[in-house]
Amino acid sequence: MQNLNTYILAIESSCDDTSCAILCNNKVLSNVTANQKIHEQYGGVVPELASRDHQKNIVPVVDAALKKSGINLYQLNAIAVTRGPGLMGSLLVGLSFAKSLSLALNIPIIEVNHMQAHILAHFIDDSAADENSLSPTFPFLCLTVSGGHTQLVKVKDYLQFELLGETLDDAVGEAFDKAAKIMNLPYPGGPLIDKYANNGDAYKFKFASTHVPGFDYSFSGIKTSFLYFIQNNLQKNEKFVEENLKDICASYQFHLIQVLLKNVKEALQKTGLKQLAIAGGVSANSQLRQRVKALETELGIQTFIPKFEYCTDNAAMIGISAYYKYLNNDFSDLSLTPLARLSVS
Ligand code: KG4
Ligand code: ZN
């Protein structure tokens, strides 16, 4: 009799998180991630340190994911791995490990596009079914917001994506992280700005925007205006940041979300799409989640907000993407190489 269950071991190592997940079809049996603390002191990810940490973490993380899943290596049907986009050295660690495992077990290897995976995390079946675990139906619009990318994507199918707009310079995650660094907060600054913003006045300070035609974004000018804003105020009052931290965070965060949602609304109107999903690390932001949810009544659309564990980098999203490729017999071979740049479409 044919085995109806497909077991996939997935590895994600594109940036600074080493993650391994085991999936049975579209369900996650385990999803273990080692975060790298070493970058905190540098205000951003240091590529060489990241790849060294991946090397240290990968065996224990894979071991832990297997133990937690209750599956043994010989039950696996395929190995999934992030091919790109990401840091070359970091990707190489995951890819080399995945290739060796696929060779040793004589099972196929499936390459996954990290940006597609952030979106497809919405199709993980978390059967503790509450209304938030519903998946979107095709086609839908996705705003993918992470440390390296800001994209508006029309998602046509599990394997078909159309890029409608993206950032021309910094990603919105970088706009959060760099502002945090300017205020001497540790990396990654996004979650901290989110936390302080909760009790601050979002209307107290105003920041500049860069107008970009179409659905593209630009965040580097906003970040520079933030830098000058802080420098000017520190000249007048050296305790300015300390005394206004919550209001600065709330106002800056509010501004970034306004910029993000402006294009989202225009894209919804122009495409006529009635479903909106958000994905990527910044989709963990509490204000962004609330503002997107509010669009349901404001625009009469349906919105999809990922569970927290599937916002920031994780291997479960790599596993779910690979599952749909597996069903399509879309396999790679051992000549597979990492790609630092890789388009979502
Ligand atoms: O998707 P991700 O884990 O990695 C990349 O693929 O880049 O995204 C990481 C980014 C970082 O810039 C981090 O500051 C941001 O997500 N982030 C947040 C929040 N949680 C993570 N930004 C704002 N608010 C948050 N709560
Ligand atoms: Zn990511």
Side-chain angles (χ1 to χ4, degrees):
M1 203 176 91
Q2 204 193 343
N3 178 9
L4 293 176
N5 283 333
T6 301
Y7 293 103
I8 294 180
L9 181 149
I11 293 171
E12 155 62 35
S13 70
S14 64
C15 191
D16 60 340
D17 295 316
T18 321
S19 186
C20 177
I22 316 288
L23 275 79
C24 173
N25 303 329
N26 57 353
K27 289 191 185 336
V28 176
L29 303 180
S30 62
N31 182 35
V32 176
T33 304
N35 305 114
Q36 302 182 358
K37 296 280 168 241
I38 190 151
H39 309 285
E40 274 177 14
Q41 56 192 300
Y42 298 103
V45 176
V46 183
E48 180 56 29
L49 297 178
S51 42
R52 280 191 222 168
D53 255 25
H54 283 306
Q55 281 178 320
K56 269 191 241 151
N57 293 341
I58 195 146
V59 172
V61 164
V62 171
D63 248 5
L66 276 165
K67 277 203 187 86
K68 204 167 167 204
S69 72
I71 296 298
N72 70 55
L73 282 174
Y74 303 100
Q75 289 172 274
L76 295 173
N77 299 94
I79 307 296
V81 66
T82 308
R83 183 178 190 192
L87 302 171
M88 271 316 238
S90 294
L91 290 165
L92 253 177
V93 177
L95 212 68
S96 311
F97 189 90
K99 281 191 199 177
S100 323
L101 207 51
S102 137
L103 188 66
L105 297 171
N106 196 23
I107 54 174
I109 186 166
I110 302 174
E111 65 183 84
V112 171
N113 178 318
H114 183 89
M115 300 316 294
Q116 294 178 355
H118 268 302
I119 299 173
L120 294 179
H122 282 281
F123 295 93
I124 291 170
D125 177 5
D126 274 324
S127 9
D130 55 41
E131 62 159 329
N132 294 325
S133 67
L134 290 177
S135 301
T137 48
F138 302 111
F140 64 91
L141 183 72
C142 186
L143 171 70
T144 315
V145 276
S146 71
H149 295 80
T150 305
Q151 300 182 332
L152 263 178
V153 181
K154 180 173 176 180
V155 189
K156 298 176 174 173
D157 181 39
Y158 297 114
L159 307 170
Q160 247 197 311
F161 303 79
E162 182 188 342
L163 183 64
L164 302 181
E166 66 181 332
T167 183
L168 303 176
D169 38 57
D170 289 355
V172 67
E174 276 174 280
F176 272 102
D177 297 335
K178 289 180 178 168
K181 191 179 176 189
I182 291 167
M183 296 188 290
N184 282 324
L185 298 175
Y187 175 86
L192 287 172
I193 291 187
D194 187 358
K195 186 178 119 193
Y196 292 122
N198 270 330
N199 300 311
D201 176 357
Y203 300 97
K204 185 154 173 192
F205 304 111
K206 298 273 174 272
F207 299 96
S209 292
T210 314
H211 178 72
V212 182
F215 299 132
D216 286 336
Y217 290 103
S218 167
F219 289 100
S220 76
I222 300 177
K223 176 199 68 194
T224 310
S225 100
F226 183 83
L227 174 68
Y228 291 146
F229 161 79
I230 296 289
Q231 284 176 345
N232 289 341
N233 279 292
L234 281 177
Q235 272 172 11
K236 291 179 225 152
N237 169 12
E238 61 182 22
K239 290 191 168 170
F240 175 74
V241 172
E242 236 175 279
E243 287 169 2
N244 295 281
L245 186 61
K246 290 173 184 168
D247 297 336
I248 299 170
C249 290
S251 304
Y252 184 66
Q253 175 177 279
F254 178 81
H255 182 64
L256 293 179
I257 294 173
Q258 289 289 95
V259 172
L260 286 174
L261 295 187
K262 182 176 171 283
N263 286 8
V264 167
K265 288 181 187 178
E266 281 172 19
L268 284 168
Q269 200 187 25
K270 189 145 185 208
T271 59
L273 294 169
K274 293 282 176 215
Q275 295 178 84
L276 168 68
I278 53 171
V282 181
S283 67
N285 183 272
S286 56
Q287 265 302 309
L288 178 65
R289 293 166 83 91
Q290 275 178 33
R291 296 277 304 277
V292 166
K293 189 84 193 146
L295 294 179
E296 293 204 339
T297 35
E298 191 185 325
L299 303 176
I301 58 161
Q302 229 183 328
T303 63
F304 299 86
I305 316 245
K307 285 179 86 173
F308 280 111
E309 65 251 52
Y310 303 138
C311 291
T312 44
D313 288 350
N314 65 88
M317 69 186 198
I318 306 303
I320 190 74
S321 310
Y323 173 62
Y324 291 108
K325 285 192 147 187
Y326 185 94
L327 295 180
N328 214 34
N329 287 319
D330 188 349
F331 302 118
S332 300
D333 60 45
L334 295 177
S335 62
L336 188 64
T337 49
L339 291 173
R341 299 173 72 88
L342 184 58
S343 169
V344 70
S345 50

